Amino acid sequence: MLITMISLKGKTAIVTGASRGIGRAIAIECARAGMNVVLNYVSASSVAGMNELQKEISALGVKSIVVRADVSKENDCKKILGAAVAQFGSVYLLANNAGVYSAMPGTPTWELDEKEFDKIFSVNVKGLFFMAKHVGKWMIDNKVKGVIVNTGSIAGLDASVSGSIYGASKAAVHGFTKTWSVEFAKFGIRVNAVAPGPVLTDLLENVSEDRKRSFVEQTPLGVLAEPKDIADAVVFLAQSEKINGQSLVVDGGRIRH
Ligand code: NAP
């Protein structure tokens, strides 16, 4: 079967949470595919890393801008979109990637608290929603047949070893992906998700070494995915004309859904 692949060259990507880990890799692979990139981050400690990332992207022959914004705030999401349109005139890909993890990974539900719930849901669910709402509406209004790729997790597709709140937040990502893929399809806009298994980024800094070893043991391929593996999946979904409403699992075979 022939799947038509769309050229991303000269198009614009917004990547939320681009300063580190998976988002950084997505930004680089988008640039490698010829896209101009809007790089979002939130923490003051990420400024130096953003400068390095911009240099790396510039060496790939494309342009980037950096927007510091908190995706859990609706006005900040509008700011990211506004900066993208002001600089590049259009947006083709929203890589809706920014996310936070449990401060208490693996803690049972009866020991979790409201602070943990609010922190995780405000970024992973509300932030994802605000970005898709505004970028999606802009694409509709401007007749851009673009694509949204959400970063979910296998924690949202199976029982979560990371804790129920994180797992539920990622289940929401995959739920949004399905409904949005139907709503936005009327306008030629596709919506998909990637569902990474464990990837050794800063996100897992609170995970014990024993648990990290167990991640490898539970992976049939015996090796964890790298940020670039997830980024390659995002670029594939951005380019694949007929794939819509799917969650692409990249986890070395840990779950089968
Ligand atoms: P990471 O290394 O901790 O990076 C998180 C990124 O999100 C950073 O760029 C951070 O920006 C940004 N961010 C956090 N809160 C934000 C906010 N309120 N507004 C804007 N940006 C914000 O994490 P990662 O491993 O790359 O994870 C990226 C995505 O993959 C997340 O959605 C995560 O849930 C998902 N995921 C990760 C794994 C894994 O094992 N690593 C597995 C499955 C899914 P600053 O640097 O400025 O703080």
Side-chain angles (χ1 to χ4, degrees), residues 128-182:
L128 183 104
F129 163 72
F130 289 148
M131 285 305 299
K133 170 184 163 178
H134 290 289
V135 175
K137 179 74 166 63
W138 186 91
M139 287 176 179
I140 291 170
D141 290 346
N142 291 278
K143 300 189 170 26
V144 172
K145 295 182 176 182
V147 57
I148 296 171
V149 182
N150 298 318
T151 305
S153 170
I154 60 167
L157 297 172
D158 201 351
S160 169
V161 296
S162 314
S164 61
I165 296 175
Y166 180 76
S169 78
K170 289 300 177 177
V173 174
H174 297 292
F176 271 136
T177 300
K178 287 176 198 164
T179 304
W180 290 343
S181 72
V182 175

Side-chain angles (χ1 to χ4, degrees), residues 17 19-20 22 42-43 46 69-71 97 151-152 166 170 197 199 201:
S19 58
R20 298 180 274 131
I22 292 170
V42 70
S43 305
S46 295
D70 179 346
V71 296
N97 166 80
T151 305
Y166 180 76
K170 289 300 177 177
V199 181
T201 65

Side-chain angles (χ1 to χ4, degrees), residues 83-123:
V85 173
Q87 184 69 30
F88 297 120
S90 189
V91 180
Y92 177 77
L93 166 65
L94 167 62
N96 219 354
N97 166 80
V100 294
Y101 192 53
S102 172
M104 313 175 255
T107 303
T109 295
W110 52 92
E111 288 172 22
L112 294 172
D113 57 24
E114 189 177 3
K115 190 170 158 222
E116 167 97 344
F117 187 96
D118 288 346
K119 173 72 184 163
I120 293 178
F121 267 71
S122 70
V123 180

